[in-house]
């Protein structure tokens, strides 16, 4: 099991955002890069995995906005694993789980291998 904390990273929903596209793009790239770099020191899993991304924030999002907020982190994990996130989900290599809890801003990522 791999557990990584990204303290201070703010995941907010961009689905209803009126922010300029360049600002959204810059924030998404930064979150994706930070996620990949934080995981770079761990060995890549070889078996199917469950990846749980927990958004920690004072506020709560509904389920569709939560999934959208976690998208950049999901892409960073997929980059680290060397897979396409959608294809890996369809063929059963990766199961993505988004959760949230109240607290100071941050993100927790847990990667657990599943016995086949």
């Amino acid at each position: 099991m791999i557990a990584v904390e990204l303290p201070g990273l703010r995941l907010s929903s961009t689905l209803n955002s009126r922010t300029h596209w360049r600002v959204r793009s810059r924030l998404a790239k930064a979150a994706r890069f930070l996620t990949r770099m934080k995981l770079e020191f761990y060995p890549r899993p070889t078996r199917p995995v469950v990846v749980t991304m927990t958004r920690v924030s004072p506020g709560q999002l509904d389920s569709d906005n939560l999934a959208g907020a976690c998208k950049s982190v999901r892409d960073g994990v997929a980059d680290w694993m060397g897979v396409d996130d959608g294809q890996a989900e369809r063929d059963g290599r990766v199961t993505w789980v988004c959760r949230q809890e109240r607290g100071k801003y941050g993100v927790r990522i847990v990667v657990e291998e599943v016995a086949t």
Side-chain angles (χ1 to χ4, degrees), residues 2 45 47-54 70 73-75 77-78 80-81 83-99 108-116:
I2 298 170
R47 296 190 307 210
V49 296
V50 174
V51 178
T52 304
M53 301 163 288
T54 305
C70 291
V73 172
R74 176 177 165 154
D75 290 341
V77 173
W80 165 70
M81 290 175 56
V83 299
D84 173 84
D85 61 332
Q87 182 62 40
E89 183 175 35
R90 285 188 293 277
D91 64 22
R93 286 181 285 166
V94 181
T95 301
W96 303 99
V97 178
C98 296
R99 294 194 175 137
R108 185 179 321 105
I109 304 165
V110 177
V111 180
E112 298 176 283
E113 288 190 350
V114 177
T116 54

Side-chain angles (χ1 to χ4, degrees), residues 21-38:
W21 66 268
R22 281 190 197 153
V23 174
R24 285 194 317 264
S25 175
R26 182 173 41 88
L27 292 172
K29 284 181 183 179
R32 185 175 184 164
F33 178 78
L34 178 64
T35 302
R36 183 170 47 90
M37 287 293 97
K38 195 75 167 185

Side-chain angles (χ1 to χ4, degrees), residues 12-19 24 61-62 64-66 68-69:
S12 57
S13 175
T14 58
L15 300 178
N16 299 321
S17 174
R18 302 293 179 250
T19 308
R24 285 194 317 264
L61 297 173
D62 59 9
D64 57 339
N65 282 303
L66 177 61

